[in-house]
Amino acid sequence: MIYRNPEDQVVDDAALKAFVQGYGDRATRLAPVAIVVAAYNEEGAIGPVIEALPGEVCGLATVAIVVADGCTDGTVAEAQAAGAMVCDVPVNRGQGAALRLGYRLAREGGAAYIVTTDADGQYNPAEIERVLAPIVAGAADFVTGSRRLGSQETKDMIRRTGVRFFAGTISMLTGQKISDTTFGLRAMRAEVTATVQLEQPQYQASELLIGVITHGYKVAEVPATIHRRRVGESKKGQNPLYQLHIPGVNNFVYGLRFARVAYGTWWRERRRLGPAGPVLSESEAETERIGAVESAARAKGSGPGSVETSASSAAASPAWPADPAKRT
């Protein structure tokens, strides 16, 4: 994993060390499927979410990892009591930073697959198998749920319009048809998270998705459900006027910030690839090489958390050249 911000690496290194010291062998011998949950002050919501997670998916054992992102309430104790392994980070940095750390904990702990879901109970844990199955079968490297292919309880037309707008925009920019770019229930091969550059502390959904597409991984969508939040309040779109709950303002702020990350990531990836293909630094090339080796090892049934499955060798979507450092 490549850190652009040295402070982030310091925080993550310390958190990883504390996590391993606290859980010992459990932290380094994780189940094949790690379900990563980023949480910030979700007392009252996180317990039921963890308790509802399946202990086995696609015939593989699971482990729940909660990254408590600078929580000041009872989130940590509630998640632990529900059976999750908890990484308690003392500083609040944002969902993107928490997920990035969660990916690293899962990957370095030996998990073969990573699933993400939110701490607020909006996603259906019964749909985790549907999201992970194409990856275990070797049909995809990254799968995201889609409320537009499935269902949603919200009647907020501004939010619905935003989902459609950003789906169309990212589809146009990347050449990969995507119907829902912000869905939090997703699954991926663990090594994907070591290859894609993740530097956004918030709104990481678009950074991850665009990065996965531009690195040539096989991406798929499956129908899924998003429910209304029933405990607490959303942390999305927080701004100085957030508590006033002015209609449309919070969604507008969220949209602006999401757009900044989406367009910024697309431009960064376009520059990385260039007209002649990807230009990698020495550290990036090493990360790509390790990811490819891990993928091949797991496909052959070796390495931690390996399963019998075919290696993915999809070419990139038409808008992006394949990454020769990763795909053979």
Side-chain angles (χ1 to χ4, degrees):
M1 177 175 288
I2 302 164
Y3 286 92
R4 300 299 181 185
N5 184 346
E7 293 181 3
D8 279 337
Q9 183 166 3
V10 170
V11 173
D12 283 6
D13 286 349
L16 177 63
K17 182 178 180 180
F19 186 76
V20 173
Q21 288 177 339
Y23 288 101
D25 287 346
R26 286 185 63 196
T28 57
R29 297 179 181 177
L30 296 175
V33 180
I35 304 176
V36 176
V37 183
Y40 173 61
N41 290 349
E42 292 289 357
E43 182 179 2
I46 189 66
V49 167
I50 299 303
E51 291 170 353
L53 295 177
E56 183 178 289
V57 180
C58 299
L60 302 170
T62 70
V63 59
I65 299 176
V66 172
V67 179
D69 187 42
C71 296
T72 58
D73 63 357
T75 296
V76 171
E78 186 174 317
Q80 289 174 332
M85 299 176 70
V86 179
C87 180
D88 189 7
V89 183
V91 58
N92 175 242
R93 296 181 294 170
Q95 185 189 49
L99 286 174
R100 182 183 61 220
L101 174 56
Y103 299 153
R104 182 177 171 188
L105 294 172
R107 190 177 62 250
E108 296 189 12
Y113 306 103
I114 296 173
V115 175
T116 67
T117 189
D118 284 359
D120 54 18
Q122 287 189 286
Y123 299 109
N124 183 356
E127 295 177 338
I128 290 177
E129 180 143 355
R130 181 188 300 172
V131 174
L132 181 62
I135 302 175
V136 174
D141 302 302
F142 180 95
V143 177
T144 178
S146 170
R147 76 197 80 189
R148 292 179 62 197
L149 299 179
S151 63
Q152 55 186 316
E153 289 185 350
T154 179
K155 298 185 183 302
D156 188 333
M157 291 309 299
I158 295 178
R159 180 163 295 182
R160 284 176 175 248
T161 300
V163 169
R164 289 179 177 272
F165 173 79
F166 285 115
T169 300
I170 291 180
S171 295
M172 178 185 67
L173 291 176
T174 63
Q176 169 86 41
K177 184 173 176 55
I178 296 292
S179 66
D180 193 339
T181 63
T182 62
F183 208 77
L185 180 61
R186 60 181 81 91
M188 65 209 83
R189 296 188 184 279
E191 62 266 22
V192 168
T193 63
T195 303
V196 176
Q197 182 177 333
L198 299 173
E199 60 185 27
Q200 295 297 330
Q202 284 284 14
Y203 311 101
Q204 192 205 79
S206 61
E207 181 182 41
L208 176 63
L209 179 60
I210 293 172
V212 166
I213 293 171
T214 57
H215 276 79
Y217 286 108
K218 285 199 292 188
V219 176
E221 287 186 298
V222 296
T225 307
I226 184 167
H227 301 283
R228 290 182 294 105
R229 172 188 273 265
R230 290 173 171 79
V231 179
E233 63 178 13
S234 175
K235 313 299 191 301
K236 295 178 180 178
Q238 298 244 0
N239 62 86
L241 301 177
Y242 185 83
Q243 296 299 332
L244 298 179
H245 298 288
I246 302 174
V249 171
N250 296 335
N251 282 337
F252 179 72
V253 172
Y254 175 83
L256 285 179
R257 293 172 177 171
F258 187 90
R260 176 184 60 80
V261 173
Y263 290 124
T265 301
W266 170 76
W267 181 248
R268 182 191 74 198
E269 291 299 299
R270 183 176 180 180
R271 292 178 62 190
R272 180 184 67 85
L273 289 169
V279 179
L280 302 177
S281 66
E282 184 176 341
S283 59
E284 288 174 323
E286 178 65 10
T287 299
E288 297 274 285
R289 184 189 67 78
I290 292 172
V293 170
E294 290 178 349
S295 180
R298 289 190 178 117
K300 294 177 181 177
S302 61
S306 60
V307 296
E308 289 295 329
T309 182
S310 60
S312 173
S313 59
S317 58
W320 301 92
D323 226 337
K326 182 180 71 64
R327 292 291 179 237
T328 56

